[in-house]
Amino acid sequence: MEEILQEINGYTLPDRKLVSGFTELQADGSTACGCWIYSGVFPQPGENKANGRSPTGFYGHGWGFAWPADRRILYNRAAARPDGTPWSERKKLIWWDEQEQEWTGLDVPDFTKTKPPNYEPPENATGDDAIAGDKPFIMHQDGLGWIWVPVGLKDGPLPAHYEPLESPVRNPLYRQQINPAADAKVRPDNVYAESPDERFPYVLTTYRLTEHHTSGAMSRMLPHLAELQPELFCELSPELAAERGIDPGGWVTVVTARGSIVARALVTPRIQPLRINGRILHQVGLPYHWGYCGLVKGDVVNDLVAISEEPNVRIMETKGILCNVLPGRLPESKEALEQGSAQAEGRV
């Protein structure tokens, strides 16, 4: 394991001497590094900073390793005024030491340590040399904080509120309900609920668990992790459980316009009802780590999700979906959808 961490840390070639941090990495083939943000985690033989358990100071330096360069707060140059002095004694984090001619303070400076606050880049400067001494945001080419990115977005540039592709409410701000640049991929086998839709009165969100990894294809194969989270569950509030006649630990069927899954009911006040436009709106949560293989098995939660792409990074919408929750274990999607529709329309 430590050999892998040393590869990630980086070293010089051909002698494989470990580098102390990413500033020693070169673009000429004389160094190699598995991941630059972790460079410095293993700066010399026998010093694995990730295993450090001797914290010091307010920010716990010495306990583990924070990327990059063990900086605990990113862009911490912004904690000082343009002239390098702290904004206040209470908020001081790093500051310019005029006598030593370097940045110092309570954290590792997220800034070139010897670059003074009054530094002005020369004409045609590139890289870090092109960032002035009073510009904290070093990952931006101008060193400034941005309200929006100047290039690359397929929507914007100003932020706007749109409802999800499925929503229990109409957009309260604009006539435009959803992001017009989103790709909903509407087709017969990728249907959507209406917004709102009486058949699907609740909002479903999916999430991860600490004990499992992504779809669970790896963690479901590991006995220790499988034992910690052995079964798919649906998290819902006590209010919703009472409304639907659902017992803690009992079976529930969760239905969307695409399909249905069954899970155990986890009734908990962690999931809170919302009041929107004068009415109560319930939420339910589903982790998505189960499938049909492994030491523990369960229904595939992503079967409930529509295939869609938001306009920039093309991620499907999994955090706001319309659903219905029915007590019991209904075997087929069609049957579950019909029962949910009948309940919504008052036929049962």
Side-chain angles (χ1 to χ4, degrees):
M1 185 68 72
E2 290 200 338
E3 289 180 4
I4 296 173
L5 195 58
Q6 290 179 37
E7 295 282 342
I8 293 172
N9 178 88
Y11 46 78
T12 59
L13 293 171
D15 59 3
R16 298 180 68 89
K17 179 183 178 182
L18 295 170
V19 299
S20 64
F22 68 83
T23 57
E24 295 182 17
L25 300 175
Q26 303 297 321
D28 58 6
S30 62
T31 59
C33 177
C35 185
W36 75 268
I37 60 173
Y38 293 112
S39 185
V41 67
F42 215 121
Q44 59 186 0
E47 187 180 358
N48 179 355
K49 289 190 173 182
N51 280 344
R53 294 297 182 267
S54 301
T56 60
F58 186 77
Y59 296 98
H61 293 91
W63 181 281
F65 179 84
W67 61 264
D70 208 23
R71 297 160 179 165
R72 301 300 163 117
I73 296 181
L74 296 177
Y75 296 134
N76 54 30
R77 164 66 178 91
R81 298 175 185 272
D83 66 3
T85 59
W87 288 104
S88 71
E89 184 67 21
R90 180 175 65 87
K91 296 179 179 180
K92 71 177 184 180
L93 181 57
I94 71 164
W95 54 89
W96 178 252
D97 187 323
E98 189 65 37
Q99 182 174 349
E100 298 293 331
Q101 288 291 291
E102 65 180 24
W103 291 94
T104 187
L106 307 178
D107 195 6
V108 177
D110 192 9
F111 205 67
T112 302
K113 190 171 185 178
T114 57
K115 182 185 289 186
N118 60 357
Y119 169 79
E120 291 292 338
E123 189 175 355
N124 299 322
T126 61
D128 185 69
D129 292 338
I131 296 177
D134 59 354
K135 303 296 189 291
F137 298 93
I138 58 175
M139 296 301 285
H140 293 167
Q141 57 262 43
D142 57 8
L144 299 172
W146 296 349
I147 298 176
W148 65 79
V149 296
V151 294
L153 275 183
K154 295 182 180 178
D155 57 1
L158 290 171
H161 171 75
Y162 298 114
E163 289 296 318
L165 298 176
E166 294 180 341
S167 174
V169 298
R170 302 303 296 173
N171 190 337
L173 297 181
Y174 316 114
R175 287 177 293 179
Q176 179 65 38
Q177 174 76 357
I178 64 172
N179 189 333
D183 184 359
K185 298 189 181 298
V186 177
R187 62 194 195 204
D189 60 349
N190 190 48
V191 296
Y192 286 83
E194 300 294 329
S195 296
D197 194 318
E198 289 185 347
R199 300 172 300 166
F200 307 109
Y202 311 126
V203 174
L204 164 66
T205 188
T206 67
Y207 53 84
R208 303 169 187 255
L209 300 175
T210 302
E211 295 84 359
H212 283 296
H213 181 66
T214 61
S215 68
M218 292 167 280
S219 52
R220 278 185 275 114
M221 305 291 181
L222 300 175
H224 288 39
L225 296 178
E227 184 179 12
L228 288 170
Q229 289 289 359
E231 195 164 14
L232 172 63
F233 59 84
C234 173
E235 192 168 359
L236 66 158
S237 68
E239 293 86 350
L240 179 56
E243 180 180 303
R244 292 309 244 165
I246 295 170
D247 295 323
W251 288 105
V252 296
T253 301
V254 183
V255 193
T256 71
R258 273 81 48 193
S260 66
I261 60 102
V262 295
R264 293 288 187 178
L266 176 61
V267 181
T268 166
R270 193 176 80 142
I271 298 288
Q272 291 287 318
L274 302 175
R275 181 175 291 277
I276 299 178
N277 291 337
R279 69 183 182 92
I280 296 297
L281 182 66
H282 291 287
Q283 309 172 80
V284 298
L286 284 170
Y288 59 88
H289 304 296
W290 281 266
Y292 47 82
C293 295
L295 299 175
V296 291
K297 302 176 179 67
D299 280 357
V300 179
V301 170
N302 278 341
D303 286 348
L304 304 178
V305 179
I307 300 171
S308 64
E309 293 180 353
E310 64 84 40
N312 293 296
V313 296
R314 304 175 66 184
I315 292 177
M316 63 185 184
E317 195 164 81
T318 61
K319 300 303 180 185
I321 308 165
L322 290 184
C323 76
N324 204 340
V325 182
L326 309 172
R329 189 173 188 175
L330 300 182
E332 299 291 340
S333 297
K334 187 175 181 180
E335 180 183 343
L337 180 58
E338 171 57 28
Q339 181 169 332
S341 299
Q343 288 183 354
E345 295 166 5
R347 292 188 275 117
V348 293

